[in-house]
Amino acid sequence: MTLPAPHQASAPAPDVEPAPAPASARHTRRSVLTGAFALATAAALPVAAAGRAKAAAGPNIIGCAAWGARAASEPVVVLANRPERIVVHHTATANVTDYSKQRALALAKAIQTYHMDAHGWIDTGQHFTISRGAFVLEGRHHSLAELNTGRRQVRAAHCVGQNTVSIGIENEGTYTSQTPPAAQFAALADLCAHICSQYGLPASEIYGHRDFNATSCPGDRLYALLPTLRRDVATRLGTPLSEPEEDPVWDLVRQATGRPAARFGEYLPAGLLP
């Protein structure tokens, strides 16, 4: 290890102030600095603008009709409010290497079957699903249409206490000890950026399921990536990343109970997926 050189006191400043540099020299230095700043700003602006444009356009999302969804068992409720945050999940299914579109469609159908037939829900619980092959699919009916307008949200069933104020995103896989494929994580960032752009949310309002319910979801490895996800989304939005707003009531609940108040398991039984 290289040790720093010992600090040395500087020599006393001279009594006579140095003569100012010629005006031409001062102008030259000022011009160089100003020019460099202008060039840096000009270089950054197209990147930020491109990121905002991509976030506004959003990823290609496969709608319910396109993946063959069943009709909801009763009318899906569309709320008048916009969401306040995004909640990230994992499906707790196998980390398959089948990255095909066919696999993604089968996943969406299996989740809907499980949620409707086993849980008794009216439709798929989450708003959107991302396969390990980075295909983005609509979950609950009308979620995509409301996202496109950016004014309202669909009431969901993905996170106890958050179903009327958040957008839920399921990521295919189990991320307790493995990280998501790079393409899937990039698709998650693209989708989150689009949701934030449409609903006017800051990137700081992205959370994991375990932030609200007593669950391991979205897995230790994906949960540890949430700060990176927020930064990636902020970059796509071309905005600075602020800290998540504190909720004093929720803090008191956690202090009193030591954990969130509701349990919520996440898995798909054998036989629903090949």
Side-chain angles (χ1 to χ4, degrees):
M1 179 174 67
T2 303
L3 297 177
H7 176 72
Q8 295 181 351
S10 58
D15 293 333
V16 180
E17 183 177 352
S24 59
R26 294 200 304 274
H27 176 73
T28 301
R29 286 197 295 270
R30 188 182 301 116
S31 299
V32 170
L33 291 173
T34 304
F37 177 77
L39 286 173
T41 303
L45 285 175
V47 174
R52 288 193 296 270
K54 183 177 180 181
N60 179 41
I61 301 175
I62 302 171
C64 287
W67 61 259
R70 294 157 54 182
S73 61
E74 62 183 66
V76 171
V77 176
V78 178
L79 303 166
N81 58 285
R82 295 180 179 184
E84 299 173 7
R85 61 189 59 90
I86 296 169
V87 178
V88 175
H89 304 258
H90 71 172
T91 60
T93 53
N95 291 332
V96 298
T97 55
D98 182 353
Y99 296 161
S100 68
K101 183 177 181 180
Q102 289 72 25
R103 167 72 187 191
L105 303 184
L107 172 71
K109 292 177 182 178
I111 291 175
Q112 187 188 43
T113 297
Y114 175 55
H115 286 178
M116 293 182 71
D117 296 349
H119 280 304
W121 297 344
I122 66 169
D123 197 358
T124 300
Q126 73 275 7
H127 297 90
F128 300 101
T129 306
I130 304 176
S131 74
R132 280 176 59 83
F135 289 95
V136 182
L137 307 101
E138 182 181 25
R140 180 156 292 202
H141 284 80
H142 308 309
S143 298
L144 179 55
E146 295 306 327
L147 174 62
N148 288 338
T149 65
R151 293 191 296 269
R152 306 182 301 180
Q153 74 167 100
V154 168
R155 187 177 70 191
H158 64 93
C159 181
V160 177
Q162 294 296 310
N163 291 315
T164 61
V165 292
S166 70
I167 296 295
I169 303 174
E170 286 277 4
N171 295 275
E172 180 187 17
T174 300
Y175 299 119
T176 54
S177 59
Q178 296 184 36
T179 56
Q184 183 185 32
F185 189 76
L188 174 60
D190 287 343
L191 177 58
C192 287
H194 182 53
I195 293 170
C196 288
S197 177
Q198 289 296 98
Y199 287 122
L201 298 175
S204 57
E205 289 298 317
I206 299 174
Y207 298 88
H209 188 181
R210 66 174 64 180
D211 288 323
F212 304 100
N213 297 163
T215 174
S216 62
C217 181
D220 291 347
R221 298 298 292 275
L222 179 51
Y223 188 77
L225 285 172
L226 292 187
T228 300
L229 177 63
R230 296 183 190 107
R231 289 194 297 270
D232 289 353
V233 171
T235 298
R236 284 162 167 77
L237 294 171
T239 58
L241 179 62
S242 59
E243 291 298 319
E245 293 185 6
E246 296 295 328
D247 186 341
V249 175
W250 182 244
D251 288 344
L252 288 174
V253 170
R254 288 196 172 188
Q255 291 172 13
T257 64
R259 67 176 189 178
R263 286 190 173 277
F264 188 86
E266 228 169 314
Y267 65 95
L268 289 177
L272 285 181
L273 274 169

